[in-house]
Amino acid sequence: MAGNWKMYKTAKDTRAYFEKFLPLVKGCSGREIVICPPYPNLEAAVEDTAGTGVHIGAQNLYWGKEGAVTGEVSGPMIHSIGCTHVIIAHSERREYFNESEQDVTRKTKAALEAGLTPIVCVGERLAERESGQTASVLHEQFQDGIGPLAPDEFAKIVIAYEPVWAIGTGKTATPQIAEDAHKTIRNEARQRFGEQLAAAVRILYGGSVKPDNVKSLMAIEEIDGVLVGGASLDPVSFAAIVNY
Ligand code: PGA
């Protein structure tokens, strides 16, 4: 159950959030919780969640370890402060920062090398869905972005299916649409990496997940978890999602 705060909350807000959130998920077992705040709040988030089992992740990284790359942050830097995860190629990164499939591969490899679990996002835009291209878009994203990973690298990633038309719009994919897309992705994984790794990879659904629709999404066998934007900003609603 992963929360993506995007560009919201200060360090002070972060502390107030965990004060409320942690007691609400205490004792919750059998599920992994990850929260991805903006870079400046990562350290506060790691401190606040120490010993609670809640993991902290970044929302992006640069593929190099260090260098003259103004404004960027590397995997080893993120790992060194106690983060365990990093989101890769969120559709907002693809859209506003022109991130390509080549970026997906190199960022995923860099994250793994730094000891972070990458949450790699894929998903079609509205026009692509409406013109019947969903499967081919997912095929291309998988083949060109995730496909170049070695099998032992693929074994360590988490995939998030996030249809762009469902992000921040209140239009959740129906359980059927999500199931079909997850099956398409798992099939891509099967063809490239074989049955065993394909069956084991966790695929999260993301796009307008809320406390009132999480249960029907999680009821689908193909859906292993959720990546939540808007509803993860409120500790009560994210705790309700985690405890669905
Ligand atoms: P949303 O965002 O839950 O606000 O739709 C999901 C995401 O962008 O990860």
Side-chain angles (χ1 to χ4, degrees), residues 4 6 90 92 162 166-169 206-210 227-231:
N4 170 16
K6 309 194 179 186
H90 187 278
E92 288 148 19
E162 297 210 311
I167 295 177
T169 58
S208 297
V209 176
K210 308 283 177 222
L227 177 55
V228 186

Side-chain angles (χ1 to χ4, degrees), residues 44-77:
V46 168
E47 274 172 34
D48 287 359
T49 55
T52 64
V54 174
H55 299 286
I56 301 300
Q59 299 171 16
N60 179 33
L61 88 173
Y62 184 76
W63 54 81
K65 286 193 177 73
E66 59 180 13
V69 194
T70 302
E72 292 295 313
V73 174
S74 75
M77 290 170 182

Side-chain angles (χ1 to χ4, degrees), residues 23-243:
L24 298 174
V25 296
K26 208 173 163 200
C28 157
S29 66
R31 54 202 69 175
E32 195 175 349
I33 306 170
V34 185
I35 295 186
C36 302
Y39 286 136
N41 307 343
L42 291 176
E43 220 164 351
V46 168
E47 274 172 34
D48 287 359
T49 55
T52 64
V54 174
H55 299 286
I56 301 300
Q59 299 171 16
N60 179 33
L61 88 173
Y62 184 76
W63 54 81
K65 286 193 177 73
E66 59 180 13
V69 194
T70 302
E72 292 295 313
V73 174
S74 75
M77 290 170 182
I78 294 165
H79 184 261
S80 72
I81 56 165
C83 291
T84 52
H85 291 69
V86 60
I87 299 172
I88 310 257
H90 187 278
S91 65
E92 288 148 19
R93 303 286 323 166
R94 293 175 183 264
E95 177 84 13
Y96 307 140
F97 302 96
N98 293 319
E99 289 195 9
S100 64
E101 301 313 330
Q102 194 193 3
D103 293 331
V104 172
T105 312
R106 53 192 175 188
K107 287 186 176 202
T108 304
K109 282 177 177 281
L112 290 167
E113 209 176 305
L116 298 165
T117 299
I119 303 173
V120 182
C121 302
V122 296
E124 80 288 358
R125 296 192 182 96
L126 182 60
E128 292 164 338
R129 168 155 293 273
E130 285 178 340
S131 57
Q133 293 177 72
T134 300
S136 66
V137 168
L138 294 175
H139 168 73
E140 259 171 48
Q141 290 177 340
F142 193 96
Q143 177 181 267
D144 299 345
I146 297 172
L149 300 176
D152 65 320
E153 292 174 325
F154 178 73
K156 294 184 195 138
I157 75 167
V158 174
I159 298 173
Y161 168 62
E162 297 210 311
V164 180
W165 48 270
I167 295 177
T169 58
K171 284 188 208 148
T172 323
T174 62
Q176 184 64 53
I177 286 179
E179 181 174 20
D180 288 348
H182 282 225
K183 280 187 174 157
T184 302
I185 295 164
R186 212 176 286 281
N187 199 34
E188 292 293 333
R190 192 173 294 118
Q191 284 173 26
R192 166 67 183 91
F193 295 105
E195 184 61 47
Q196 213 179 334
L197 291 181
V201 70
R202 280 174 296 169
I203 308 178
L204 314 183
Y205 167 79
S208 297
V209 176
K210 308 283 177 222
D212 62 4
N213 60 26
V214 63
K215 213 169 169 182
S216 59
L217 290 162
M218 289 303 293
I220 294 169
E221 209 188 315
E222 277 294 328
I223 299 183
D224 302 310
V226 287
L227 177 55
V228 186
S232 75
L233 291 171
D234 174 54
V236 175
S237 81
F238 191 50
I241 290 172
V242 168
N243 294 317

